[in-house]
């Protein structure tokens, strides 16, 4: 029998949690984030109020998503852009391929986009013989390594400077002791030409602005700007939840995203693109397409409570504070979106049966909810996912029996006391040892129950 996703998740988690090198790299990178975040956060006059406002806007959008998406389409189309509605990954890939055929395109420059990761666009284009190059430095590094993103904001977070220097040394013969700046310059030198020669530029978008029919892209390296400027065709692949009502809302969402994503007050480059190049403009593509991607998002929208998972602006903050993510890292999830938000949305995007185990990958400490800039009640949503899995009959029959037995016993002190310590230890050793893992000692039950010990203590006092 093939290994289930849940078993693989447990196995990989227990291996990586004890990989001390991995832990050192992650701790170091997350520490840097924490320092920047604390500083960035202090610049808000009233952060809690900003979060409340962002939550309200996203709530309004999700309750009226159909209306806002059509408004976006109308306004974007009026400016010469073309909108493609894609129900799923396959439809998105096929529609994108039609654009390639129409333009006889053979090369692509890409900027960072999780939606294209979701539809595995690079892998698809490779099967078609298309040369697709990632231009975001982190994405470029993991593309060279053949890795998937480790973190949806910082895709190469699992690599140290030494790892990257070694990679560049092997691929491009740079010195092993090259500094971060030298490596960046090398990547820049390698990528510059690609912007000029690529037939098509592909990006994601951080926001879709309904009122103006625009996409807004936020980045630190300037590569998205070049990707959307040089090639004759620009395709943006964007999840339908990225919509916001008006351009004025960026005033709130840009600083929230920058602060929670990287600790910056504002990300370095923020571009608003409203259709292809106009007659009086000097740069920009001749054609611009926006692929509006559903790919399971409407399953989540159909859930009255969990639909707040669609408010997410992908800042990555909940990953950075999550004790589970900090220990097991991003690749263990085997999903495009990792960490607490990934655990919340992936069962709805990729299948409850295959990914319900992620809803249990949480200590429910609530730190994710506390930091979320759009106030998503993540830990409550994870509990609701667990309930859904049970309601859909996806929990194993043994689990149901165990919980029934456990509930009966713990509800009555008489039952709890009935089983002595030896019996309880026997049950632990024989039924829970595997789940407990071999890296920590099983808890020992005392021989005498609490009631017995209490009574004896009282008696001795008298
Ligand atoms: S759920 Fe909240 S904290 Fe997590 S990535 Fe999304 S917006 Fe950021």
């Amino acid at each position: 029998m093939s290994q289930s996703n849940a078993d693989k998740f447990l196995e990989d988690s227990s291996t990586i949690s004890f990989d001390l090198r991995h832990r050192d790299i992650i701790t170091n990178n997350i520490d840097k984030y924490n320092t920047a975040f604390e500083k960035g956060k202090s610049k808000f006059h009233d952060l809690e109020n900003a979060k409340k406002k962002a939550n309200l806007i996203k709530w309004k959008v999700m309750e009226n998503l159909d209306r806002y998406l059509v408004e976006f389409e109308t306004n974007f189309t009026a400016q010469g852009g073309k909108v493609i509605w894609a129900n799923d990954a396959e439809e998105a890939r096929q529609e994108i391929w039609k654009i390639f055929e129409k333009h006889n395109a053979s090369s692509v420059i890409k900027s960072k986009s999780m939606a294209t990761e979701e539809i595995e666009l690079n892998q698809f284009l490779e099967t078609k013989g298309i040369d697709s190059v990632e231009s975001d430095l982190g994405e470029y590094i993991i593309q060279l390594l053949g890795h998937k993103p480790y973190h949806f904001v910082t895709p190469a977070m699992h690599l140290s400077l030494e790892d990257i220097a070694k990679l560049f040394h092997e691929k491009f013969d740079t010195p092993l002791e090259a500094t971060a700046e030298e490596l960046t310059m090398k990547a820049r030198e390698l990528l510059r030409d690609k912007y000029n020669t690529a037939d098509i530029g592909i990006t994601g978008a951080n926001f879709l602005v309904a009122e103006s029919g625009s996409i807004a892209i936020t980045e630190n390296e300037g590569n998205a700007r070049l990707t959307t400027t040089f090639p004759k065709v620009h395709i943006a692949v964007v999840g339908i939840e990225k919509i916001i009502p008006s351009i004025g809302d960026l005033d709130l969402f840009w600083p929230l995203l920058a602060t929670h994503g990287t600790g910056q007050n504002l990300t370095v480059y923020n571009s608003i693109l409203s259709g292809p190049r106009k007659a009086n403009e000097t740069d920009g593509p001749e054609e611009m397409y926006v692929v509006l991607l559903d790919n399971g998002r409407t399953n989540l929208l159909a859930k009255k409570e969990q639909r707040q998972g669609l408010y997410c602006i992908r800042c990555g903050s909940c990953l950075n504070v999550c004790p589970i993510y900090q220990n097991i890292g991003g690749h263990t999830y085997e999903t495009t979106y990792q960490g607490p938000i990934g655990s919340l949305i992936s069962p709805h995007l990729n299948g409850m049966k295959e990914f319900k185990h992620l809803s249990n990958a949480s200590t429910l400490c609530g730190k994710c909810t506390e930091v979320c800039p759009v106030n998503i009640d993540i830990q409550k949503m994870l509990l609701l996912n667990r309930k859904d899995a049970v309601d859909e009959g996806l929990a194993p029959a043994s689990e149901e029996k165990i919980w029934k037995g456990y509930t009966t016993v713990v509800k009555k002190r008489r039952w709890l006391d009935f089983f002595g310590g030896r019996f309880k230890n026997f049950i632990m050793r024989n039924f829970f040892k595997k789940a407990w893992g071999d890296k920590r000692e099983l808890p020992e039950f005392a021989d005498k129950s609490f009631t017995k010990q209490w009574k004896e203590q009282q008696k001795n006092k008298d």
Side-chain angles (χ1 to χ4, degrees):
M1 205 176 77
S2 67
Q3 195 182 30
S4 71
N5 285 0
D7 286 343
K8 183 161 186 327
F9 178 79
L10 283 178
E11 198 178 302
D12 292 350
S13 300
S14 50
T15 308
I16 199 139
S17 307
F18 292 91
D19 178 338
L20 296 184
R21 182 165 191 273
H22 171 260
R23 186 175 300 194
D24 273 354
I25 296 172
I26 297 311
T27 310
N28 185 24
N29 286 334
I30 289 180
D31 279 353
K32 281 188 210 149
Y33 165 83
N34 285 338
T35 313
F37 178 49
E38 284 307 315
K39 209 168 142 206
K41 202 165 79 160
S42 65
K43 297 283 189 305
F44 272 86
H45 172 64
D46 187 346
L47 180 58
E48 286 315 308
N49 195 36
K51 285 161 70 166
K52 260 191 222 158
K53 206 172 155 199
N55 176 279
L56 194 66
I57 293 172
K58 278 295 194 174
W59 169 80
K60 192 171 81 176
V61 168
M62 288 314 145
E63 299 303 309
N64 300 283
L65 188 58
D66 50 346
R67 183 165 71 71
Y68 281 111
L69 285 171
V70 171
E71 188 183 342
F72 168 81
E73 182 183 35
T74 308
N75 294 329
F76 183 65
T77 311
Q79 297 174 93
K82 296 187 176 86
V83 170
I84 294 167
W85 298 77
N87 283 309
D88 55 30
E90 184 53 21
E91 215 170 279
R93 289 189 292 256
Q94 292 309 327
E95 289 298 324
I96 291 170
W97 184 241
K98 281 185 202 159
I99 304 171
F100 274 73
E101 286 183 320
K102 180 183 165 196
H103 293 276
N104 207 10
S106 62
S107 58
V108 170
I109 186 85
K110 266 187 86 249
S111 79
K112 188 169 165 296
S113 150
M114 294 315 290
T116 59
E117 290 289 341
E118 201 181 315
I119 63 170
E120 303 197 319
L121 189 59
N122 278 351
Q123 294 85 332
F124 170 77
L125 292 175
E126 206 182 305
T127 65
K128 299 283 189 186
I130 303 289
D131 179 27
S132 173
V133 181
E134 292 289 347
S135 61
D136 171 88
L137 185 57
E139 287 280 345
Y140 181 59
I141 291 165
I142 61 165
Q143 188 181 35
L144 289 173
L145 284 165
H147 287 185
K148 293 242 181 195
Y150 180 88
H151 183 294
F152 54 73
V153 174
T154 346
M157 194 194 235
H158 58 305
L159 301 171
S160 65
L161 178 60
E162 292 74 44
D163 294 330
I164 300 164
K166 188 164 168 269
L167 171 73
F168 273 52
H169 174 70
E170 284 161 9
K171 300 266 182 196
F172 313 117
D173 205 24
T174 48
L176 264 175
E177 58 287 349
T179 61
E181 287 71 28
E182 285 163 347
L183 296 172
T184 310
M185 290 316 287
K186 182 68 192 173
R188 177 187 279 198
E189 175 196 319
L190 293 162
L191 288 169
R192 272 292 141 137
D193 236 19
K194 307 273 181 190
Y195 296 110
N196 290 325
T197 55
D199 297 316
I200 294 187
I202 298 184
T203 69
N206 298 90
F207 302 100
L208 294 162
V209 186
E211 174 199 53
S212 60
S214 320
I215 65 167
I217 303 179
T218 281
E219 45 145 358
N220 273 318
E221 296 168 12
N223 58 306
R225 226 167 236 200
L226 295 172
T227 303
T228 56
T229 309
F230 282 96
K232 289 205 166 82
V233 179
H234 171 205
I235 306 172
V237 185
V238 194
I240 52 173
E241 81 285 10
K242 293 288 180 80
I243 201 121
I244 53 171
S246 73
I247 223 141
D249 297 320
L250 289 170
D251 195 26
L252 172 70
F253 284 103
W254 269 345
L256 275 178
L257 178 57
T259 306
H260 289 76
T262 51
Q264 292 163 284
N265 297 335
L266 208 55
T267 314
V268 180
Y269 299 97
N270 292 289
S271 311
I272 299 172
L273 306 167
S274 315
R277 182 173 68 208
K278 312 281 180 310
N280 60 344
E281 290 173 348
T282 50
D283 52 24
E286 288 166 13
E287 284 197 27
M288 180 177 171
Y289 298 83
V290 170
V291 180
L292 292 175
L293 184 67
D294 178 343
N295 208 27
R297 286 162 173 81
T298 43
N299 297 338
L300 193 49
L301 189 69
K303 297 272 166 196
K304 201 170 177 313
E305 298 264 11
Q306 288 106 308
R307 81 171 54 136
Q308 58 177 281
L310 294 170
Y311 301 179
C312 175
I313 56 171
R314 306 275 187 266
C315 71
S317 190
C318 58
L319 279 65
N320 300 337
V321 297
C322 175
I324 303 293
Y325 183 88
Q326 287 169 2
N327 277 284
I328 68 171
H331 288 150
T332 317
Y333 289 81
E334 303 233 20
T335 50
T336 309
Y337 307 103
Q338 314 83 4
I341 186 64
S343 298
L344 192 177
I345 63 175
S346 301
H348 303 280
L349 301 189
N350 307 334
M352 183 59 86
K353 188 162 181 261
E354 294 78 11
F355 290 95
K356 68 177 182 347
H357 60 279
L358 294 182
S359 311
N360 294 308
S362 169
T363 60
L364 302 178
C365 67
K367 193 72 187 160
C368 49
T369 299
E370 194 185 308
V371 294
C372 179
V374 283
N375 276 349
I376 302 175
D377 196 349
I378 303 176
Q379 88 263 28
K380 183 177 169 204
M381 300 304 119
L382 291 174
L383 289 173
L384 290 171
N385 276 2
R386 294 180 194 182
K387 183 177 181 302
D388 281 356
V390 174
D391 290 349
E392 288 171 32
L394 296 171
S398 56
E399 190 179 304
E400 200 180 331
K401 281 191 191 124
I402 289 171
W403 281 114
K404 264 198 182 136
Y406 176 79
T407 316
T408 312
V409 171
V410 296
K411 272 161 87 177
K412 289 245 171 4
R413 164 77 39 203
R414 189 160 48 87
W415 276 113
L416 262 183
D417 294 344
F418 181 77
F419 299 108
R422 278 177 66 185
F423 178 74
K424 287 173 188 162
N425 286 325
F426 172 82
I427 296 286
M428 285 298 279
R429 273 195 305 274
N430 290 285
F431 296 100
F432 293 99
K433 185 140 182 35
K434 191 171 165 231
W436 195 257
D438 55 7
K439 297 284 196 302
R440 51 186 179 166
E441 275 180 29
L442 273 174
E444 275 279 319
F445 285 95
D447 277 346
K448 292 179 192 167
S449 70
F450 173 79
T451 320
K452 212 168 184 181
Q453 289 184 51
W454 178 260
K455 277 183 184 158
E456 281 176 9
Q457 204 190 54
Q458 295 304 312
K459 211 165 149 192
N460 291 340
K461 267 193 197 166
D462 297 337

